[in-house]
Amino acid sequence: MNELKNMNAITDFNQTQLQNALNDSMDSRDRPKELKNFLPKTIASTAFVFNILFILLLPLGLVNEFAKLGDWGIWTSIPFCIIIGWIYIIMELVGDYSENPFAGLMFDVPMLSICRTIEIDLLQMGGETDLPEPIASKNGVLV
């Protein structure tokens, strides 16, 4: 910025505005890191512990109700409890994957592909003809 000011390409006011824009950009870049480090991991593991407790106690609450259907009702409570437990475990796993969408796993945001697309668009706007190739998916996964 000082070089631009020394060449009289920008005024003092423009230099101040440009510096403020750069500072805001840096602040915006650091906010997700602060948010990620704000909550301790024990809060995330608490939900998992409560889900396990619920799954373990679920049969105790349902067997009595299924017993009202007769002897076969007690046996049908077993697959019913397994299905409900499976649903809660899947919801926990989806929540875990959603907590960090930039980890580079299969279901995460394809940051490399997005950045390459932006790079290609910017180079095209600048009139470049030698453009890099877009990122291709590997085994059906876009990174």
Side-chain angles (χ1 to χ4, degrees):
M1 278 191 300
N2 288 334
E3 291 177 17
L4 291 173
K5 185 175 180 311
N6 291 339
M7 295 180 344
N8 292 327
I10 59 173
T11 64
D12 289 336
F13 178 74
N14 291 344
Q15 182 182 11
T16 304
Q17 292 295 330
L18 186 57
Q19 185 63 47
N20 288 339
L22 287 173
N23 291 342
D24 289 343
S25 174
M26 297 298 270
D27 289 342
S28 296
R29 184 196 68 186
D30 292 336
R31 282 190 194 121
K33 292 178 189 174
E34 293 172 7
L35 183 62
K36 180 181 178 185
N37 295 331
F38 177 71
L39 295 173
K41 289 292 180 191
T42 55
I43 293 176
S45 63
T46 304
F48 179 74
V49 170
F50 283 142
N51 277 336
I52 295 300
L53 284 174
F54 174 76
I55 291 168
L56 291 175
L57 296 175
L58 182 65
L60 299 175
L62 291 180
V63 167
N64 193 24
E65 291 301 316
F66 276 92
K68 293 177 183 177
L69 299 173
D71 290 336
W72 64 273
I74 295 172
W75 292 105
T76 55
S77 69
I78 294 171
F80 192 77
C81 290
I82 290 172
I83 291 171
I84 291 176
W86 177 78
I87 290 171
Y88 273 83
I89 292 295
I90 293 300
M91 288 182 356
E92 178 69 27
L93 290 174
V94 168
D96 285 344
Y97 281 121
S98 300
E99 284 176 4
N100 192 3
F102 305 110
L105 300 174
M106 183 184 344
F107 300 111
D108 289 344
V109 177
M111 291 302 296
L112 184 61
S113 175
I114 292 171
C115 291
R116 179 62 62 91
T117 303
I118 292 171
E119 177 187 10
I120 292 169
D121 290 345
L122 289 173
L123 289 172
Q124 285 176 339
M125 286 191 284
E128 291 286 329
T129 56
D130 186 27
L131 301 173
E133 291 294 320
I135 302 296
S137 63
K138 297 177 185 174
N139 298 328
V141 177
L142 192 59
V143 261

